[in-house]
Amino acid sequence: MGKKKHYNYFKGYSDCTNCATWAAKALDKAVTGYSPETAQASMNEIHGIEHESDNVKHNMIENLAAEFLPPIERQDISSLMNELDNVVDGIDEVMMMICMYRVQKIRDDMPEFTKMLIRCCEGLAELVEEFENFKKSKSIKEKIIKVNSLESEGDTIYFNGISTLFETCKDPVEIMIWKEIYGRLEECFDSCEHAADMIEDIILSNS
């Protein structure tokens, strides 16, 4: 009987961050050429990506339950996967809000949010790709700092977006809608940073 092949948790992490980048690009495409008529199709596309990320997560947890000696602590493996999956969930929720609130016109600064989200997800994907070699890597600290810096840039975009919203919009319902959408986007930036910080903590505890 052949030797059982071990599940590659690091590849699972990469698959999840690839889903996040894919979802962020789909969201950016949806808002850049926004049409209320095609919003539902965009939501379905992003929700499909979120479902793919969930499948990666569930597959990882199933393998972890049967794993005799995982490469890092079990709790670290599952906690990091949850953080990465949160990024995809957040992107899915943004598009759901746009559809749920029947948004008719995208605000001018919305593409700035989504393009920053792509950068955050791509930075996180680069970090996760390097994570497998964390004991020998000379660049992983730099990649963690990059994600943190991108999150700070995202905070600035959020601050400016909310400030402009209250300055230019007089409709209280519209303000409520966009304040919630912008807030969820800002949480997506935060989720990327939380995942990067968790990777840093895991590296410290396994060094």
Side-chain angles (χ1 to χ4, degrees), residues 29 40 52 58 63 65 70 98 119 123 137 146 185 197-198:
K29 181 181 177 182
Q40 180 73 40
E52 180 66 26
H58 295 318
N63 279 275
I98 291 172
R119 291 177 63 199
S137 175
K146 178 181 177 180
L185 281 160
D197 289 344
M198 180 168 286

Side-chain angles (χ1 to χ4, degrees), residues 27 90-91 94 97-98 110 113-114 117 154 158 178-191:
L27 179 63
I91 298 169
V94 171
M97 285 179 181
I98 291 172
M110 185 66 167
F113 277 87
T114 53
L117 184 56
Y158 171 71
W178 283 103
K179 185 173 181 291
E180 193 166 345
I181 291 172
Y182 286 165
R184 195 66 189 92
L185 281 160
E186 196 267 341
E187 289 174 7
C188 290
F189 302 149
D190 287 345
S191 293

Side-chain angles (χ1 to χ4, degrees), residues 116 119-120 142-156 189 193 196-197:
M116 174 52 69
R119 291 177 63 199
C120 285
E142 177 186 328
K143 294 181 187 299
I144 292 170
I145 292 171
K146 178 181 177 180
V147 175
N148 292 336
S149 297
L150 288 168
E151 189 276 337
S152 294
E153 290 183 46
D155 282 346
T156 300
F189 302 149
E193 182 179 45
D197 289 344

